[in-house]
Amino acid sequence: MNTIRWPLLLLASSGWLALLTTETPGGAPLRVTVTVVFLLTCPGAAVLALFRPLLAPRDHTGDAMESIALTVALSVALGILVSEAFFMTGAFTVYRVLTALATITSLAALGVPLTAYRARQRAARSPEAA
């Protein structure tokens, strides 16, 4: 199995950095910037990276724009689902939501090598590989 690459480690730690910035004063530009960038990109990027090896091979026409749009959509969807779960239980706080999203992001990013390994194993066993 491949070792975990630096971009995946940075992605896995991004949520914890956003959580750390919640300790800065309320309207600080650093806090707002880091938190918004995390919420709009990182959870979706981690989940997309986790499932990308499982998707069927395809041409790469328009791949960058498609990936960006899907990353933002997945991030927003995860943020809504996690926030809604906390709202419905009456336990909503920004700290809890960021912690949950940081955990999801870290687990997904750190699971990418395992998913890629399993996809390679499945491709090696398939009849088309022979």
Side-chain angles (χ1 to χ4, degrees):
M1 205 158 44
N2 290 340
T3 58
I4 296 177
R5 295 170 287 175
W6 282 106
L8 291 176
L9 289 175
L10 291 173
L11 185 59
S13 62
S14 64
W16 306 108
L17 174 65
L19 198 60
L20 184 63
T21 61
T22 62
E23 299 300 319
T24 60
L30 176 68
R31 177 181 183 171
V32 172
T33 304
V34 170
T35 304
V36 168
V37 168
F38 169 73
L39 290 174
L40 285 179
T41 58
C42 296
V47 170
L48 185 60
L50 181 66
F51 290 109
R52 181 70 73 182
L54 300 177
L55 301 174
R58 56 204 179 100
D59 70 352
H60 296 285
T61 306
D63 216 19
M65 287 305 293
E66 177 183 304
S67 292
I68 291 169
L70 193 52
T71 295
V72 172
L74 284 171
S75 293
V76 170
L78 284 169
I80 289 170
L81 289 172
V82 169
S83 297
E84 191 66 28
F86 281 112
F87 270 124
M88 293 182 88
T89 59
F92 178 83
T93 64
V94 171
Y95 187 81
R96 287 180 183 155
V97 170
L98 278 177
T99 301
L101 289 171
T103 302
I104 291 168
T105 302
S106 294
L107 291 175
L110 296 176
V112 169
L114 179 61
T115 305
Y117 173 75
R118 286 187 177 174
R120 282 193 306 274
Q121 292 298 321
R122 187 179 314 121
R125 286 191 312 258
S126 73
E128 293 110 21

